[in-house]
Each structure stands twice: as C-alpha cells, then as structure tokens.
Amino acid sequence: MAKNRKSIYSALIANLLIAVTKFIAGGFTRSSSMISEGIHSLVDTVDQVLLLYGLKRSKKEPDATHPFGYGKELYFWSFIVSILIFGLGGGISIYQGIQHIIHPEPVENPLWNYIVLGLSLIFEGSSFIIAAKEFNQVRNGLSWWKAIVKSKDPSSFLVLFEDGAAVLGLLIVFVLMVIGHNFNLPYLDGVASVLVGLLLVFTSAILARESRSLLMGEGIAPETQRKIRTLAEQDEAVIKVVNLLSTYQAPDDVILMLIIDFEPAIDTEDITASIERIRKTIKQAYPLIKLVFIQPQTYSLLPGSFVSEIKKP
C-alpha cells in the first residue's frame, strides 16, 4: 500500500505538469487531439487525488457507525475514478474529436506538439514502467490479466491502467499527427481525439467492472475457499465445513465466517477449543483474514437461529 501511494504521488505531479503543458501547446497550435490529451492528463490528475483521498479514508479506525472500519471507501472512490475517466476523459475527447472531423482546422506550428508529445511519452512511459514493476512484484507468477482480475487493491491496477492508456494514447496522437501533417489531412487530428476517447471509455469500463465487484462485497477466491475448508476439516473435532462466507472490507482486510458440523459426541468445551484452534490456523495461513467467525452447525437447530437463515441445504 505504501508503494502504491508513492507511485500515485509521482504520477499526480507528472500528470499535472503534463496537462498544463499540453493545454498550452494545444492552444497555440489549435490541435484538437492535443487538447484531448490535455484533458486526459487532467482527468488522470483528478483521479489520483481521489485515490489518495480514498486511501486515507480507508484507514480510519472502526467506530459505532462502521464497526468493521472504512476499508470499502477505497473501493467507492475507485469506482468514482472509473466513472470520471468515462465521462470527463472519454466523453469530452470523443465530442471534441467529432467536432474537429466535421470542421477540420490545420494544425499550426506542429513542432510544439511534437516536443510536448515526446516529453510526455518519456514521463508517462517512466511512470508506467514504475507501476508495472511494482505490480509485477505482487502478481505471484499469474498472467498480467489474471493478476489484475484477482487483485483486491484498486490503487495498484488503476495506476497501471491509467499510465498504460496514457502511453497508448500518446502514440496514437503522435502517429496520426505525423500522417495528417505530412499528407495535409487535418481531419486526422480529430480522428486521433476520437480514438483517445474510445481508449478511455474502454479503460473505464474495465476499471468500473473490477471496482464494482469489490464494492458489492466480493469474497475470497474459490481456490482459497477450498484450502480454508481443508484446513478446518483437518481438525479432529470437525466433520465438515457446511458453509463458508467471506467479504473483502479492504485490500488487506477480510472477514470470514464458517458454519461447521462438529462431532456429535464432543461437549461445548471441546467445541470451543476446536474453534480456537481453527481460528488460529486460518489466521496464520492467511494474515489478511482479520476476523474469523465460526458457528457450529448444531446451533442452527435452535428456533430463530441466524445460521438457519443463511445455511445452504
């Protein structure tokens, strides 16, 4: 989390400086795609501010109104970031690009655009390499896409996606700007703007999907569930794990509930001892699981039991 925050701070400063430079260059050269790139960098800057705010809010201590803490604040603000990328970044870029295709204007003094694009590519590329290296350290041998899907920390893959989209967008603008300038095709500047907008819309759709899943209470992976079931069922007092419920409160905070069928011959004291053993074993194997609630299956026979409402047949 600390590494992610450092990468967000560095990306924030870089994007702010790049956005100002792009807007100035776009104003002088009357380039629609350069203005769109400036909007892209400005949206990235706002996104990183919101991510930092979400990270700060997610670390608040539990209180009476939020007994499990504020960890989901990070997921909420990550979802807001994905919407901003779609609305402000993608929408405005597509609209401005279409206007420039309908009413094309020749780019004036394109040398300024080339200089800005070159410097931006260096800065954004450096930021992307840093984000990729940090994410590579935590993907544990998984493919990049699978690691992103399995990641429960939006602050890591959001920065990775934003920087990747920024680099690709810069390359699109650079290529089409060179072609349009050399062959006197001014409408290609608008085409570049539309393509950058579509890229942002695509990026926001992926980020919104992942953030929404976490915000709605995504649980631990099926393979992890199977391993936890095996750990619990290795205890001598356990017959089987009847049900397993979990949810991510934050990237490093999981709540787990087990409904367990214990041996009928043991007494309450043995059940209590078994529960403590299982809880200790699970927490040692999975430090991210902060709270482990274990409910004996026999309790579900009591009238009005909570377990009877959620127990699978």
Side-chain angles (χ1 to χ4, degrees):
M1 192 73 76
K3 287 184 178 180
N4 290 341
R5 190 166 297 195
K6 289 179 182 178
S7 66
I8 294 173
Y9 275 121
S10 61
L12 170 64
I13 295 171
N15 277 313
L16 182 59
L17 294 175
I18 291 171
V20 172
T21 306
K22 286 177 180 177
F23 280 129
I24 293 174
F28 276 113
T29 61
R30 302 173 68 182
S31 169
S32 171
S33 60
M34 183 58 66
I35 295 294
S36 296
E37 274 297 309
I39 294 171
H40 183 178
S41 295
L42 183 61
V43 171
D44 283 352
T45 304
V46 174
D47 292 345
Q48 282 135 20
V49 171
L50 293 179
L51 275 180
L52 289 170
Y53 180 72
L55 282 169
K56 182 179 179 180
R57 290 279 301 175
S58 69
K59 293 301 179 183
K60 285 186 64 177
E61 295 295 325
D63 54 32
T65 58
H66 294 80
F68 294 114
Y70 289 79
K72 287 187 181 292
E73 284 266 11
L74 177 59
Y75 299 149
F76 170 77
W77 289 108
S78 298
F79 186 74
I80 295 298
V81 163
S82 65
I83 299 302
L84 285 177
I85 294 174
F86 176 86
L88 292 181
I92 294 176
S93 294
I94 292 172
Y95 172 78
Q96 191 167 17
I98 292 174
Q99 291 298 312
H100 201 74
I101 292 173
I102 297 173
H103 307 289
E105 297 180 8
V107 176
E108 301 174 1
N109 300 317
L111 178 62
W112 286 103
N113 284 347
Y114 294 144
I115 293 174
V116 172
L117 285 173
L119 291 174
S120 299
L121 191 58
I122 292 173
F123 296 141
E124 294 283 14
S126 301
S127 180
F128 175 71
I129 290 172
I130 293 172
K133 284 183 177 179
E134 290 185 356
F135 192 78
N136 187 48
Q137 293 175 357
V138 299
R139 65 188 182 97
N140 297 322
L142 297 173
S143 67
W144 284 88
W145 177 249
K146 195 170 184 180
I148 290 171
V149 172
K150 286 181 173 290
S151 175
K152 310 305 176 187
D153 185 1
S155 63
S156 62
F157 60 76
L158 271 170
V159 174
L160 183 67
F161 263 79
E162 282 187 352
D163 288 344
V167 171
L168 185 55
L170 287 167
L171 291 174
I172 291 172
V173 171
F174 184 81
V175 170
L176 291 185
M177 187 174 291
V178 170
I179 296 174
H181 175 63
N182 290 330
F183 293 93
N184 194 26
L185 301 173
Y187 68 87
L188 286 184
D189 191 54
V191 173
S193 181
V194 171
L195 291 177
V196 169
L198 291 174
L199 174 64
L200 292 177
V201 170
F202 175 73
T203 302
S204 71
I206 297 175
L207 297 178
R209 175 184 176 276
E210 295 303 314
S211 299
R212 175 185 174 277
S213 179
L214 292 166
L215 186 62
M216 295 297 290
E218 182 178 336
I220 56 179
E223 55 266 34
T224 306
Q225 294 183 33
R226 289 192 291 269
K227 291 177 182 178
I228 291 175
R229 285 177 181 270
T230 301
L231 285 176
E233 290 173 354
Q234 286 175 350
D235 192 90
E236 58 186 13
V238 175
I239 297 177
K240 67 175 180 178
V241 175
V242 178
N243 200 3
L244 186 153
L245 307 171
S246 64
T247 182
Y248 273 88
Q249 291 297 111
D252 56 353
D253 186 357
V254 176
I255 296 177
L256 175 70
M257 181 176 181
L258 298 175
I259 303 172
I260 295 178
D261 190 7
F262 289 95
E263 293 286 349
I266 63 176
D267 56 23
T268 304
E269 186 177 342
D270 292 331
I271 291 177
T272 302
S274 175
I275 287 174
E276 290 303 317
R277 290 195 302 268
I278 296 169
R279 183 180 288 120
K280 183 178 179 181
T281 300
I282 292 174
K283 284 189 173 184
Q284 286 178 343
Y286 299 95
L288 293 182
I289 299 178
K290 306 300 183 184
L291 290 175
V292 180
F293 299 102
I294 299 177
Q295 175 70 66
Q297 162 78 351
T298 52
Y299 289 1
S300 66
L301 300 177
L302 297 175
S305 169
F306 170 70
V307 181
S308 64
E309 297 296 326
I310 61 175
K311 179 173 68 67
K312 290 182 179 179

